[in-house]
């Protein structure tokens, strides 16, 4: 019973990733695509958690934190590039 | 002139230490669970990249006041010394040893020379990644 529930939630998350991919391809502006990529990362975190429940292992728990951190850094870098045109500025005060 | 990303700067001050702690955790659990020097080094450089994003290259150079190319040299030196130190004991190159020690506060702990080799990998990965990032970021 619990396994059926897990697979059902996995299917729902895959469908929501499909929705995000639609926004990623169709999205009229670049910020739409960045937000879609960030949401795909968060959904990937929950899919990893569910897969680690299905496979009955706790070896993937580090991957969850890793995807979260990488998705945050990537989104921050994209946002700074869109806002300022550079990712690393040499001197912030000049 | 003040730049406008106050939220990113305040948040990165907190998140930086969480990522550093996570990378140290990844480094030390590498012998028993997924992790190790490579992923730990990448996460440490990720934390410093977050600082570079929130602040600028000049400030980060003031925070970490040495050249990252030295880190590559130090890491390679640690790895070669760990691998070649086994030659002093008449055993083949790269032979690792481990033993159990009673350390105060930690109790019975196994200390392994492979951890020192991993430390070299850690330093090399951090040095290479940040050298690439800084070189690209500074060029016009």
């Amino acid at each position: 019973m619990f396994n059926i529930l897990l697979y059902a939630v996995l299917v729902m998350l895959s469908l929501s990733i499909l929705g995000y991919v639609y926004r990623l391809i169709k999205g009229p502006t670049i910020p739409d695509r960045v937000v879609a990529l960030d949401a795909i990362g968060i959904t990937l975190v929950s899919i990893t958690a569910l897969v680690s429940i299905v496979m009955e292992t706790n070896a993937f728990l580090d991957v969850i934190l890793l995807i979260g951190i990488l998705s945050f850094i990537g989104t921050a870098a994209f946002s700074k590039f869109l806002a300022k045109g550079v990712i690393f500025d040499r001197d912030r005060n000049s | 002139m003040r730049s406008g990303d106050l939220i990113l700067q305040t948040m990165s001050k907190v998140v930086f230490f969480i990522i550093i702690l996570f990378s140290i955790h990844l480094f030390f659990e590498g012998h028993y669970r997924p992790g190790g020097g490579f992923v730990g080094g990448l996460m440490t450089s990720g934390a410093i990249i977050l600082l570079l994003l929130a602040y600028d290259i000049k400030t980060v150079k003031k925070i970490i006041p040495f050249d990252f190319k030295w880190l590559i040299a130090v890491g390679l030196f640690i790895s070669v010394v760990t691998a070649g130190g086994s030659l002093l004991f008449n055993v083949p190159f790269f032979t690792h040893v481990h033993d159990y020690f009673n350390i105060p506060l930690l109790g019975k702990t196994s200390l392994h020379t492979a951890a020192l080799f991993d430390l070299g990998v850690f330093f090399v990965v951090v040095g290479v990644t940040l050298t690439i990032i800084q070189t690209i970021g500074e060029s016009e």
Side-chain angles (χ1 to χ4, degrees), chain B residues 106-121:
Chain B
L106 289 177
K108 186 183 170 194
T109 313
S110 71
L111 296 181
H112 202 299
T113 52
L116 287 175
F117 183 77
D118 232 15
L119 189 70
V121 175

PDB file of all heavy atoms in Angstrom, chain B residues 106-121:
ATOM      1  N   LEU B 106      36.721  12.044  21.774  1.00  0.00           N
ATOM      2  CA  LEU B 106      36.179  11.283  20.657  1.00  0.00           C
ATOM      3  C   LEU B 106      36.127   9.796  20.949  1.00  0.00           C
ATOM      4  O   LEU B 106      35.402   9.063  20.288  1.00  0.00           O
ATOM      5  CB  LEU B 106      37.029  11.522  19.397  1.00  0.00           C
ATOM      6  CG  LEU B 106      36.905  12.903  18.783  1.00  0.00           C
ATOM      7  CD1 LEU B 106      37.831  13.035  17.609  1.00  0.00           C
ATOM      8  CD2 LEU B 106      35.482  13.156  18.344  1.00  0.00           C
ATOM      9  N   GLY B 107      36.928   9.318  21.934  1.00  0.00           N
ATOM     10  CA  GLY B 107      36.922   7.901  22.233  1.00  0.00           C
ATOM     11  C   GLY B 107      37.755   7.123  21.245  1.00  0.00           C
ATOM     12  O   GLY B 107      38.697   7.638  20.649  1.00  0.00           O
ATOM     13  N   LYS B 108      37.359   5.861  21.033  1.00  0.00           N
ATOM     14  CA  LYS B 108      38.134   5.004  20.152  1.00  0.00           C
ATOM     15  C   LYS B 108      37.917   5.431  18.697  1.00  0.00           C
ATOM     16  O   LYS B 108      36.806   5.383  18.181  1.00  0.00           O
ATOM     17  CB  LYS B 108      37.695   3.557  20.351  1.00  0.00           C
ATOM     18  CG  LYS B 108      38.540   2.567  19.593  1.00  0.00           C
ATOM     19  CD  LYS B 108      37.966   1.180  19.806  1.00  0.00           C
ATOM     20  CE  LYS B 108      38.620   0.190  18.878  1.00  0.00           C
ATOM     21  NZ  LYS B 108      37.872  -1.069  18.828  1.00  0.00           N
ATOM     22  N   THR B 109      38.995   5.871  18.058  1.00  0.00           N
ATOM     23  CA  THR B 109      38.898   6.387  16.700  1.00  0.00           C
ATOM     24  C   THR B 109      39.934   5.683  15.845  1.00  0.00           C
ATOM     25  O   THR B 109      41.051   5.434  16.299  1.00  0.00           O
ATOM     26  CB  THR B 109      39.179   7.895  16.679  1.00  0.00           C
ATOM     27  OG1 THR B 109      38.440   8.494  17.723  1.00  0.00           O
ATOM     28  CG2 THR B 109      38.769   8.501  15.373  1.00  0.00           C
ATOM     29  N   SER B 110      39.576   5.365  14.603  1.00  0.00           N
ATOM     30  CA  SER B 110      40.556   4.778  13.702  1.00  0.00           C
ATOM     31  C   SER B 110      41.171   5.886  12.880  1.00  0.00           C
ATOM     32  O   SER B 110      40.470   6.658  12.233  1.00  0.00           O
ATOM     33  CB  SER B 110      39.893   3.733  12.808  1.00  0.00           C
ATOM     34  OG  SER B 110      39.075   4.351  11.878  1.00  0.00           O
ATOM     35  N   LEU B 111      42.484   5.990  12.937  1.00  0.00           N
ATOM     36  CA  LEU B 111      43.196   6.984  12.138  1.00  0.00           C
ATOM     37  C   LEU B 111      43.872   6.273  10.976  1.00  0.00           C
ATOM     38  O   LEU B 111      44.562   5.276  11.173  1.00  0.00           O
ATOM     39  CB  LEU B 111      44.237   7.719  12.990  1.00  0.00           C
ATOM     40  CG  LEU B 111      43.668   8.540  14.129  1.00  0.00           C
ATOM     41  CD1 LEU B 111      44.783   9.231  14.872  1.00  0.00           C
ATOM     42  CD2 LEU B 111      42.704   9.565  13.609  1.00  0.00           C
ATOM     43  N   HIS B 112      43.669   6.788   9.772  1.00  0.00           N
ATOM     44  CA  HIS B 112      44.115   6.110   8.561  1.00  0.00           C
ATOM     45  C   HIS B 112      44.948   7.093   7.741  1.00  0.00           C
ATOM     46  O   HIS B 112      44.600   8.263   7.653  1.00  0.00           O
ATOM     47  CB  HIS B 112      42.877   5.672   7.766  1.00  0.00           C
ATOM     48  CG  HIS B 112      43.142   4.545   6.822  1.00  0.00           C
ATOM     49  ND1 HIS B 112      44.045   4.642   5.802  1.00  0.00           N
ATOM     50  CD2 HIS B 112      42.621   3.305   6.766  1.00  0.00           C
ATOM     51  CE1 HIS B 112      44.059   3.497   5.142  1.00  0.00           C
ATOM     52  NE2 HIS B 112      43.198   2.676   5.708  1.00  0.00           N
ATOM     53  N   THR B 113      46.036   6.621   7.139  1.00  0.00           N
ATOM     54  CA  THR B 113      46.859   7.539   6.347  1.00  0.00           C
ATOM     55  C   THR B 113      46.195   7.885   5.014  1.00  0.00           C
ATOM     56  O   THR B 113      46.598   8.846   4.374  1.00  0.00           O
ATOM     57  CB  THR B 113      48.235   6.924   6.064  1.00  0.00           C
ATOM     58  OG1 THR B 113      48.039   5.631   5.515  1.00  0.00           O
ATOM     59  CG2 THR B 113      49.058   6.836   7.321  1.00  0.00           C
ATOM     60  N   ALA B 114      45.167   7.108   4.615  1.00  0.00           N
ATOM     61  CA  ALA B 114      44.442   7.475   3.395  1.00  0.00           C
ATOM     62  C   ALA B 114      43.718   8.804   3.568  1.00  0.00           C
ATOM     63  O   ALA B 114      43.478   9.514   2.585  1.00  0.00           O
ATOM     64  CB  ALA B 114      43.440   6.380   3.031  1.00  0.00           C
ATOM     65  N   ALA B 115      43.391   9.149   4.830  1.00  0.00           N
ATOM     66  CA  ALA B 115      42.745  10.448   5.065  1.00  0.00           C
ATOM     67  C   ALA B 115      43.696  11.585   4.727  1.00  0.00           C
ATOM     68  O   ALA B 115      43.273  12.626   4.215  1.00  0.00           O
ATOM     69  CB  ALA B 115      42.283  10.547   6.513  1.00  0.00           C
ATOM     70  N   LEU B 116      45.008  11.383   4.995  1.00  0.00           N
ATOM     71  CA  LEU B 116      45.981  12.431   4.640  1.00  0.00           C
ATOM     72  C   LEU B 116      46.077  12.581   3.122  1.00  0.00           C
ATOM     73  O   LEU B 116      46.163  13.698   2.604  1.00  0.00           O
ATOM     74  CB  LEU B 116      47.347  12.081   5.217  1.00  0.00           C
ATOM     75  CG  LEU B 116      47.460  12.252   6.721  1.00  0.00           C
ATOM     76  CD1 LEU B 116      48.816  11.767   7.193  1.00  0.00           C
ATOM     77  CD2 LEU B 116      47.301  13.703   7.070  1.00  0.00           C
ATOM     78  N   PHE B 117      46.054  11.442   2.408  1.00  0.00           N
ATOM     79  CA  PHE B 117      46.059  11.492   0.941  1.00  0.00           C
ATOM     80  C   PHE B 117      44.831  12.240   0.432  1.00  0.00           C
ATOM     81  O   PHE B 117      44.905  13.060  -0.478  1.00  0.00           O
ATOM     82  CB  PHE B 117      46.106  10.068   0.386  1.00  0.00           C
ATOM     83  CG  PHE B 117      46.180  10.012  -1.106  1.00  0.00           C
ATOM     84  CD1 PHE B 117      47.365  10.272  -1.765  1.00  0.00           C
ATOM     85  CD2 PHE B 117      45.063   9.697  -1.848  1.00  0.00           C
ATOM     86  CE1 PHE B 117      47.433  10.225  -3.128  1.00  0.00           C
ATOM     87  CE2 PHE B 117      45.126   9.649  -3.217  1.00  0.00           C
ATOM     88  CZ  PHE B 117      46.313   9.916  -3.863  1.00  0.00           C
ATOM     89  N   ASP B 118      43.681  11.959   1.074  1.00  0.00           N
ATOM     90  CA  ASP B 118      42.446  12.631   0.706  1.00  0.00           C
ATOM     91  C   ASP B 118      42.530  14.123   0.978  1.00  0.00           C
ATOM     92  O   ASP B 118      41.948  14.920   0.243  1.00  0.00           O
ATOM     93  CB  ASP B 118      41.290  12.015   1.486  1.00  0.00           C
ATOM     94  CG  ASP B 118      40.162  11.597   0.581  1.00  0.00           C
ATOM     95  OD1 ASP B 118      40.405  11.528  -0.630  1.00  0.00           O
ATOM     96  OD2 ASP B 118      39.069  11.337   1.079  1.00  0.00           O
ATOM     97  N   LEU B 119      43.250  14.496   2.041  1.00  0.00           N
ATOM     98  CA  LEU B 119      43.438  15.915   2.341  1.00  0.00           C
ATOM     99  C   LEU B 119      44.179  16.609   1.196  1.00  0.00           C
ATOM    100  O   LEU B 119      43.861  17.741   0.818  1.00  0.00           O
ATOM    101  CB  LEU B 119      44.203  16.068   3.650  1.00  0.00           C
ATOM    102  CG  LEU B 119      44.296  17.471   4.221  1.00  0.00           C
ATOM    103  CD1 LEU B 119      42.943  17.915   4.717  1.00  0.00           C
ATOM    104  CD2 LEU B 119      45.301  17.533   5.335  1.00  0.00           C
ATOM    105  N   GLY B 120      45.180  15.893   0.616  1.00  0.00           N
ATOM    106  CA  GLY B 120      45.876  16.446  -0.538  1.00  0.00           C
ATOM    107  C   GLY B 120      44.949  16.638  -1.713  1.00  0.00           C
ATOM    108  O   GLY B 120      44.973  17.687  -2.372  1.00  0.00           O
ATOM    109  N   VAL B 121      44.075  15.640  -1.964  1.00  0.00           N
ATOM    110  CA  VAL B 121      43.094  15.755  -3.054  1.00  0.00           C
ATOM    111  C   VAL B 121      42.182  16.952  -2.820  1.00  0.00           C
ATOM    112  O   VAL B 121      41.904  17.746  -3.736  1.00  0.00           O
ATOM    113  CB  VAL B 121      42.275  14.444  -3.154  1.00  0.00           C
ATOM    114  CG1 VAL B 121      41.189  14.587  -4.193  1.00  0.00           C
ATOM    115  CG2 VAL B 121      43.165  13.292  -3.503  1.00  0.00           C
TER     116      VAL B 121
END
